[in-house]
């Protein structure tokens, strides 16, 4: 089963957070702690990430099954928040196991195939000379020298086990499964529950033309945008992200 952390009173309404590609549950610690004042928050490490198991597959059927297993182990349906790759996994969970999802929040991703690739990040991480790394900043500096954006350098470096001098990412599996990660499975069902698609005003991941595809799978979808945020909603505008998610999850009959 996936590794996970919990925050808040276990008797409070539960919400599970699924991170994006190359991330981990620890990226969501600040948001999780803030939401835990009124909720029992669960942050997972997706397969091939963080402290979770490594596997040769990383398709959305697999990721959705992993989330369903955690939810079942912790006692039943939850609100589910997913960002980027985690957002696609959360969508797949809602479509294939709707009984596990009370309300759904999808952060800056659509159920479509994207033409850009994230292979350049894998190539950069592979190029880091881990034998020369004694501090996380050493890896950050090497990534910067390789042309990685400074903000992304810090994000990637969070997935480095400095003591073991190894990445907490299954880079080989993620590289092999990249076509699946960038796409979305064909699904014939719909999720009839409440769903919020929250995008960044400075991001081009969720376009207006995606809305018909989204509504075809999620007929009760609502749309909101954080004007000051890019793709990394929770990092670019954490207060705005938190407030929007709270309002949606707490609304009666959403």
């Amino acid at each position: 089963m996936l590794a996970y952390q919990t925050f808040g009173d276990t008797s409070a309404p539960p919400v599970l957070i699924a991170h994006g590609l190359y991330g981990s549950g620890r990226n969501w610690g600040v948001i999780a702690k803030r939401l835990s004042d009124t909720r029992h928050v669960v942050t997972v490490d997706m397969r091939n990430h963080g402290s979770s198991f490594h596997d040769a597959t990383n398709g959305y059927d697999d990721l959705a099954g992993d989330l369903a297993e955690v939810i079942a182990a912790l006692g039943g349906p939850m609100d589910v928040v997913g960002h980027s790759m985690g957002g696609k996994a959360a969508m797949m969970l809602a479509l294939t196991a709707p009984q596990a999802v009370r309300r759904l929040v999808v952060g800056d991703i659509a159920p479509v195939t994207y033409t850009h690739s994230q292979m350049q990040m894998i190539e950069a991480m592979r190029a880091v000379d881990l034998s020369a790394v004694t501090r996380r900043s050493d890896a950050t500096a090497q990534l910067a020298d390789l042309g990685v954006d400074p903000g992304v350098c810090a994000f990637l470096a969070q997935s480095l086990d400095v003591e073991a001098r190894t990445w907490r990412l299954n880079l080989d599996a993620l590289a092999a499964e990249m076509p699946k990660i960038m796409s979305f499975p064909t699904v014939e069902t719909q999720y009839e529950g409440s769903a919020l698609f929250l995008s960044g005003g400075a991001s081009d991941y969720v376009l207006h033309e995606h809305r018909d595809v989204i509504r075809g799978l999620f007929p009760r979808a609502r749309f909101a945008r954080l004007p000051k945020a890019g793709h990394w909603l929770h990092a670019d505008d954490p207060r705005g992200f938190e407030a929007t998610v709270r309002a949606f999850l707490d609304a009666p009959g959403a």
Side-chain angles (χ1 to χ4, degrees), residues 71-226:
I71 290 171
L74 293 177
M78 295 184 179
D79 295 324
V80 178
V81 177
H83 173 251
S84 199
M85 180 192 76
K88 283 188 170 182
M91 284 188 274
M92 194 65 180
L93 171 67
L95 291 166
T96 57
Q99 72 282 357
V101 181
R102 288 174 173 163
R103 297 181 185 182
L104 175 68
V105 179
V106 178
D108 207 58
I109 203 75
V112 301
T113 297
Y114 290 87
T115 56
H116 64 270
S117 173
Q118 297 297 328
M119 279 299 298
Q120 69 275 18
M121 301 304 174
I122 290 180
E123 292 165 359
M125 285 184 278
R126 283 173 169 168
V128 171
D129 180 4
L130 294 175
S131 68
V133 172
T134 59
R135 305 178 291 184
R136 206 172 301 278
S137 58
D138 295 332
T140 302
Q142 287 194 50
L143 289 167
D145 289 342
L146 291 163
V148 179
D149 179 87
V152 177
C153 290
F155 166 70
L156 295 178
Q158 290 186 46
S159 289
L160 180 66
D161 184 333
V162 176
E163 184 176 347
R165 294 185 178 180
T166 187
W167 293 102
R168 292 192 182 98
L169 298 164
N170 186 352
L171 297 179
D172 291 342
L174 294 175
E177 294 284 272
M178 191 61 67
K180 291 182 183 178
I181 295 169
M182 302 313 297
S183 65
F184 192 78
T186 299
V187 183
E188 300 299 332
T189 60
Q190 292 182 324
Y191 174 65
E192 300 291 345
S194 298
L196 173 66
F197 285 77
L198 181 58
S199 58
S203 171
D204 60 359
Y205 274 71
V206 183
L207 303 176
H208 188 76
E209 52 263 37
H210 293 153
R211 291 195 174 193
D212 286 344
V213 178
I214 292 169
R215 289 194 180 101
L217 296 172
F218 304 92
R220 294 181 62 194
R222 300 181 183 182
F223 299 91
R225 188 175 293 269
L226 297 179

